[in-house]
Amino acid sequence: MQGKITMGSKERIQRIKEETRANILDAALEIVKEDGWQSLSMRKIADKIEYTAPIIYEYFANKEGILLELTRLGNVLLLKDFKAVQAKHKTPEKQLEAMWIAYWDFAFSHKELYQLMFGVDMICCDLTKSLPEAEAGKKMFYDLISTIMTESEPTEEIVCRKYYTFWSIIHGLISINLVRRGSTTDEMNQHILRDAIQGIIKAIND
Amino acid sequence: MQGKITMGSKERIQRIKEETRANILDAALEIVKEDGWQSLSMRKIADKIEYTAPIIYEYFANKEGILLELTRLGNVLLLKDFKAVQAKHKTPEKQLEAMWIAYWDFAFSHKELYQLMFGVDMICCDLTKSLPEAEAGKKMFYDLISTIMTESEPTEEIVCRKYYTFWSIIHGLISINLVRRGSTTDEMNQHILRDAIQGIIKAIND
DNA sequence: TAAATAATCTAACAGTGTTAAGCAAATGTA
DNA sequence: TACATTTGCTTAACACTGTTAGATTATTTA
């Protein structure tokens, strides 16, 4: 009899443990949204989830572990956006354009996550490599670029080059807007963004 | 008699004060080159110049003051490079290209300063605005772009747009190389860089 | 030489990430 | 039910961080 109850309580305990883990991540992101990455500290997170700091170390190895998990979650979100907008378009060209615009939108609707993921105005954790979620998004771009260039039989290296050309200009443009806010107007950004994307797509078969 | 000596010693004192100020900046940059921006601390700087930490506060308001001065110095260096390479070319097109390549080279020959100035992998100090040295370099680009576009009588806004298009792609490309080292090969970078610069220059009259 | 001033250091405060020890409550066992 | 054990959580501490105030030492001035 007690056995059954114990089993149930064990599950309950594991459930609230997962909840606490999620609470830690939520609290962290909330603090960052309020006062920026600089202001994030273990004790503040603990305060927010109404525990003391050492508790966090039962859920994450250290502070960097929290950051790593947040970048992972960011990549999951971004990937979801990619898939959603890709499904909305037929031609690879339109899909590619839509995905870069989704990338752009993500940077501003999840400003803090973007800063963490791509190191704008932020201490970038070195462990970002070997995140499979990040690779998945990259692969989507590779595939699309390859498809568009199919008649010219592109090498992996050329596809890679096109991808980074895209990434550079869009990340650079986002950087201006996130770090030096207000240097460019919204209409300007839209102009630069569309020009750049379509320009590169047009030049993709060079 | 003593008066003359006193005057001399006062000058000497001011000279070694300026030396100490420079030593602080040198020490800071040295530490960053050895162990990165994260590792920079007031006490480490003090150790290196063989003083104790509070001394530094007689030369700089706080740590951010040191960072601000280093970004200023970085901008001075960059501006010097700009002027040097511009003098080496005749046509505005060649000058513009040479300046962006100088920008690129600066990012890697003064990696740490670039990180500080443009917030790659670094806590970017917000006080960067209103640095006249930074404005001067920007103006050089504006002038060149205006000159190249002279027949189409560009508005300030369009020139601004072209400038940020340049900056975006080059800063983005530098970001990949400074933050995610080794993602792209050197030859690839050269390819992307030249392609991008000449592509944008060619499209500058659109 | 004695007083005044400048240069420098020590000590401290509040904050950071992180770890070890301890307490108290819940659980398992007899 | 009584004892033992594990679990959850906290307090305390360590080694750092930036920064400031007060004491101390050295130098200059009278």
Side-chain angles (χ1 to χ4, degrees), chain A residues 133-158:
Chain A
E133 289 85 0
E135 293 302 309
K138 197 159 128 183
K139 193 182 177 315
M140 289 179 70
F141 282 111
Y142 272 53
D143 290 347
L144 277 180
I145 295 172
S146 295
T147 305
I148 295 176
M149 294 180 73
T150 190
E151 67 262 29
S152 51
E153 290 188 25
T155 62
E156 167 97 6
E157 203 233 312
I158 288 177

Side-chain angles (χ1 to χ4, degrees), chain A residues 60-72:
Chain A
F60 298 94
N62 47 31
K63 191 182 181 181
E64 201 159 5
I66 298 177
L67 301 188
L68 189 62
E69 183 61 15
L70 284 175
T71 76
R72 211 188 59 78

Side-chain angles (χ1 to χ4, degrees), chain B residues 3-162:
Chain B
K4 215 173 180 182
I5 290 174
T6 305
M7 286 304 267
S9 77
K10 264 188 184 164
E11 283 165 17
R12 192 203 64 201
I13 282 171
Q14 209 201 333
R15 207 183 56 231
I16 73 163
K17 271 211 161 191
E18 275 162 25
E19 255 176 46
T20 304
R21 199 186 129 94
N23 285 343
I24 291 172
L25 296 172
D26 286 350
L29 205 51
E30 205 175 324
I31 292 165
V32 172
K33 278 178 185 165
E34 282 163 10
D35 295 310
W37 284 105
Q38 305 223 36
S39 160
L40 181 64
S41 84
M42 299 301 259
R43 284 178 176 85
K44 279 184 197 162
I45 296 174
D47 272 7
K48 208 141 220 167
I49 62 172
E50 292 181 303
Y51 276 115
T52 48
I55 285 293
I56 305 177
Y57 291 85
E58 284 177 17
Y59 296 88
F60 297 94
N62 47 31
K63 190 181 182 183
E64 201 159 4
I66 298 177
L67 301 189
L68 189 61
E69 183 60 14
L70 284 176
T71 75
R72 211 188 59 78
L73 288 176
N75 275 298
V76 169
L77 281 180
L78 181 56
L79 194 61
K80 205 183 290 178
D81 286 354
F82 282 165
K83 286 175 180 164
V85 300
Q86 187 178 36
K88 280 196 197 150
H89 294 86
K90 300 283 190 312
T91 71
E93 285 84 359
K94 286 276 173 195
Q95 288 176 341
L96 191 56
E97 181 181 346
M99 277 171 61
W100 281 119
I101 289 172
Y103 184 95
W104 170 271
D105 289 338
F106 178 89
F108 295 94
S109 59
H110 301 88
K111 180 179 129 190
E112 295 79 16
L113 285 181
Y114 187 87
Q115 292 174 336
L116 179 60
M117 292 158 70
F118 300 100
V120 181
D121 193 14
M122 172 56 202
I123 313 150
C124 176
C125 59
D126 293 322
L127 309 178
T128 301
K129 306 170 199 280
S130 78
L131 263 191
E133 290 85 359
E135 293 302 310
K138 196 159 129 184
K139 194 183 177 314
M140 289 178 70
F141 283 111
Y142 271 54
D143 289 347
L144 276 180
I145 295 172
S146 296
T147 306
I148 295 175
M149 295 180 73
T150 191
E151 67 262 29
S152 51
E153 290 188 27
T155 62
E156 168 96 5
E157 203 234 313
I158 288 177
V159 174
C160 179
R161 214 157 81 197
K162 300 288 179 191

Side-chain angles (χ1 to χ4, degrees), chain A residues 17 43 51-52 54-55 58:
Chain A
K17 271 211 163 191
R43 285 177 176 83
Y51 276 114
T52 48
I55 285 294
E58 285 177 18

Side-chain angles (χ1 to χ4, degrees), chain A residues 24-184:
Chain A
I24 291 172
L25 297 172
D26 286 350
L29 205 52
E30 204 175 325
I31 292 165
V32 173
K33 278 179 185 165
E34 283 162 10
D35 295 310
W37 285 104
Q38 306 224 37
S39 161
L40 180 64
S41 84
M42 300 301 261
R43 285 177 176 83
K44 278 184 198 162
I45 295 175
D47 273 6
K48 208 141 220 167
I49 61 172
E50 292 181 306
Y51 276 114
T52 48
I55 285 294
I56 305 176
Y57 291 86
E58 285 177 18
Y59 297 88
F60 298 94
N62 47 31
K63 191 182 181 181
E64 201 159 5
I66 298 177
L67 301 188
L68 189 62
E69 183 61 15
L70 284 175
T71 76
R72 211 188 59 78
L73 287 177
N75 275 298
V76 169
L77 281 180
L78 181 56
L79 195 60
K80 205 182 292 178
D81 287 354
F82 282 166
K83 286 177 179 164
V85 300
Q86 187 178 35
K88 279 195 198 151
H89 294 85
K90 300 283 188 313
T91 71
E93 285 84 1
K94 286 277 173 194
Q95 287 176 340
L96 191 56
E97 180 180 346
M99 276 171 62
W100 281 119
I101 289 173
Y103 184 96
W104 170 271
D105 290 338
F106 177 89
F108 294 95
S109 59
H110 301 88
K111 180 179 130 190
E112 295 79 15
L113 285 181
Y114 186 88
Q115 292 174 335
L116 180 59
M117 292 158 69
F118 301 101
V120 181
D121 193 14
M122 172 57 203
I123 313 150
C124 176
C125 60
D126 294 320
L127 309 177
T128 301
K129 305 171 200 280
S130 76
L131 263 191
E133 289 85 0
E135 293 302 309
K138 197 159 128 183
K139 193 182 177 315
M140 289 179 70
F141 282 111
Y142 272 53
D143 290 347
L144 277 180
I145 295 172
S146 295
T147 305
I148 295 176
M149 294 180 73
T150 190
E151 67 262 29
S152 51
E153 290 188 25
T155 62
E156 167 97 6
E157 203 233 312
I158 288 177
V159 175
C160 179
R161 213 157 81 198
K162 299 290 178 190
Y163 168 74
Y164 279 119
T165 307
F166 266 117
W167 189 87
S168 292
I169 193 161
I170 284 162
H171 172 73
L173 196 54
I174 289 168
S175 294
I176 311 180
N177 284 276
L178 289 186
V179 178
R180 326 213 174 305
R181 282 157 223 128
S183 293
T184 53

